[in-house]
Amino acid sequence: MSNVLSEQFIQDSFHSYLKSSLTQAKAERLLDADVLSSAESDLMIAGPALCLYFAALRSTTNPPSVPLPRSNKSEPPIDLSFDNCPPAFAGILRVWAHTVPAIQSLVPEHQHDLARVICGLEPMAQPMQPAVGGIAADLRAVAIEISQRRSFQDRFAAALQAALDSGTTPDSPDAKKASFVPPPLYDPAPPLSPPRRPPTSPVTPVTPVTPVTPATPSREPPSPSTWAIELIRETLYAALADVLEAHPALRKLLRRDAPRAYFACVSRAILDVTTTSLTSEGAIVGVLGAELTLAECPENLRPFMRELAAIGAQAREIQEEDELTAMRSLQRGEEVPLARLELVKRILLWGVSEGRGGRRSVQGRAVAFANRINALSLGMTRLRAFRERQGEVFKVLAAVGS
């Protein structure tokens, strides 16, 4: 194991490439300055996915390896390979290496379309080359795993700022500042007593699912926007304990890597809520029976509501397809394959590098659907209402997992 590279060296190399990848994406107009400065949640996926994409184009070995940057030209070149990869990054390297031959086999026009799809842009070639969507889904799935690492979060703003500063001067009227702020650090020490799920009685007010007393209680009734986001938030948080209890391995992850465990629980809770707490009209039936319809939802939260409803509809379609596939397999006397929805659940909890399984065609669709849920989770957990409660929820989850 003496030739294994250090995790710190890999992190430093990745962030060097992340800066150059974001700068190149800006130069190619894949990402503009407004997007880079806003640091919207999807940029946390597109940024590292672009880094993986450009690394694939540079790879020249078989099996694929990553040529790492050198601090000076006198140093011998080093490639990140399966022989020297730290165990913490082995799963990510394995999924990335699987995409390299497919990326390099694309014609240049389709390679550029792949970069556009990674950034959420429409491909130039219509209809889209079939392989492009699957490759983009895999790269974005790996990027989601990277985005949950604290080492990435702490240095992402610097990479964004480097890209924003390229081609401009600090006193230029076009100069912009990156607004990305990493989530707070958490001490997952448990509270004195574990929380309990609230009763399911048809009471209208939204009550927090955790025993938290506001620092400055107010007698003012909540605004419609506050009430809506609190209902969505508390409904998801009410499902977190169930997710943690159903998966003991997450409890170990919570003690080892609390932010990653929290994100996995939230993503899994989104899937649970969209399949159990949404009406046929797309309304959310929240904690204590409170209901929120799209019409009642403030304008700024409606994209989240629409996406929750769309995810619920897609999950039901997948479940129906899984049941039909299982029935046909039984009729033919064949082994029932792994259900796509079960594969999605695995990916949400453990990431694409650990959650793969089943047929390749099923894998690709499962990865794309898991990415959709994870992207919503990233967007929602970056909302102020979620960030304000995350520290408290970490302590609650630690109590459940202890």
Side-chain angles (χ1 to χ4, degrees), residues 87 100 346:
V100 172
R346 289 187 187 183

Side-chain angles (χ1 to χ4, degrees), residues 338-400:
L338 177 66
R340 180 155 49 121
L341 199 58
E342 287 304 312
L343 180 54
V344 170
K345 293 175 182 178
R346 289 187 187 183
I347 295 171
L348 292 177
L349 291 176
W350 312 117
V352 70
S353 60
E354 302 295 335
R356 284 185 176 274
R359 296 162 291 162
R360 177 61 194 166
S361 60
V362 170
Q363 288 178 15
R365 289 178 292 165
V367 170
F369 186 45
N371 286 353
R372 184 176 190 178
I373 298 171
N374 279 326
L376 179 61
S377 180
L378 271 176
M380 296 188 74
T381 54
R382 285 186 60 77
L383 292 174
R384 181 179 178 183
F386 275 79
R387 292 168 68 93
E388 288 175 345
R389 289 265 280 151
Q390 284 176 5
E392 299 161 8
V393 172
F394 263 66
K395 294 178 181 179
V396 171
L397 292 180
V400 175

Side-chain angles (χ1 to χ4, degrees), residues 45 67 102 168 374:
I45 305 174
T168 63
N374 279 326

